[in-house]
Amino acid sequence: MAKEDVLYQHGTLALLVPGLYDGTMSVADLLTHGDTGIGTADGLDGEMVILEGKAYQISGAGTVREMAPDELTPFANVHFDDPTNDYDRENMTSEALEQEIFKAHTFANQFFAFKIHGTFGHVQTRAIDKQKKPYPPLAEAAKSQHVFEKDNVTGTLIGYYSPDLYQGTTSAGFHVHFLDDDRTFGGHILAYNLTSGKVSLQTFSDFNLHLPVHDSHFVQADLNDPELDSQIKAAEH
Ligand SMILES: [Zn+2]
C-alpha cells in the first residue's frame, strides 16, 4: 500500500460527544501521517485545517494562525495529498457537487478526500470556542459556536466523505472545513456555493485509526451512547 492510499485519523468523533476534548497528539506527530486534513485543537479550541504540511487553527473569534508543532489535538484526519480525480466546475451548489460525485463514481462505500480550490460565491463557516473544564458535551459546546460568512472568497475547501456505517468513528457523510488563500478566514463549513474552481477527489483503500490509549479519560469513558447519532448530527451539521 502506498502512503497516498491511507486516511489517518487520531481519535474518534464519538470521544468528542461526551466531552473528551484534551489534546492527545501533537501537531508534529500528526503531520508525519499526512500533509492535508482537518481537525480540532486542545479543549475543542476552534477548527483545524491542514494544507501543504502546515496546520492552521481558526478560533472561535474567527482569527487564523499557524499552529506550533507541540500543540495538541484530540481529533484530526490527515492524508498525503495526491488526488485520484481532478476536474473544473463553475456555478454549482454544494448539493449538486456532492450528488455529481456519486453519479460519476462508485464511491458510496469508500472513504475519500474532497478538496476544492477556487472562488466561492458564498461560504458560511462556524468555529467553537475553547471549552473550560469540566467540559460540556459536544452538542452543548456547539450551541455557542460562532458563525462567519464571506462572499466571493478564494480559498480551499478540504475534508472527507465517510460512509454512513462509520458514524461515530467519524462524522458520516461529508465533513469539510475551509481556509481562504489569505489565511484570514475559515472554519467548519456549514454552507457554500462554488463560483469557479478545481475539484479534487482522493480515494483511500486503508483507514488508519489511532486511539489515545494512554489517556486516562479515554480508557475510562463510557462511549456507548445510544443517542450518539443524533448528538453528532446536532453538533456537526
Ligand atoms: Zn469540523
Side-chain angles (χ1 to χ4, degrees), residues 62-76:
T63 56
V64 181
R65 67 181 184 91
E66 189 178 340
M67 296 176 72
D70 61 348
E71 288 186 66
L72 299 173
T73 173
F75 177 75

Side-chain angles (χ1 to χ4, degrees), residues 38-39 47 126 175-177 188-189 236:
I38 61 175
E47 313 289 335
R126 74 99 190 271
H175 178 192
V176 289
H177 288 189
H188 169 107
I189 286 269
E236 295 297 314

Side-chain angles (χ1 to χ4, degrees), residues 81-146:
D81 185 47
D82 185 18
T84 41
N85 302 77
D86 269 337
Y87 48 92
D88 295 319
R89 284 292 179 271
E90 287 184 358
N91 299 318
M92 288 184 73
T93 63
S94 55
E95 292 81 8
L97 282 160
E98 292 174 4
Q99 286 168 13
E100 170 182 80
I101 292 170
F102 298 105
K103 285 191 184 131
H105 306 286
T106 49
F107 285 175
N109 297 329
Q110 305 179 38
F111 294 94
F112 62 87
F114 179 55
K115 185 174 76 169
I116 307 175
H117 181 262
T119 301
F120 295 78
H122 184 72
V123 174
Q124 183 187 51
T125 66
R126 74 99 190 271
I128 297 178
D129 285 322
K130 185 176 173 75
Q131 300 296 300
K132 294 185 181 75
K133 293 180 181 180
Y135 290 138
L138 183 63
E140 197 61 40
K143 283 181 188 162
S144 62
Q145 69 186 16
H146 301 275

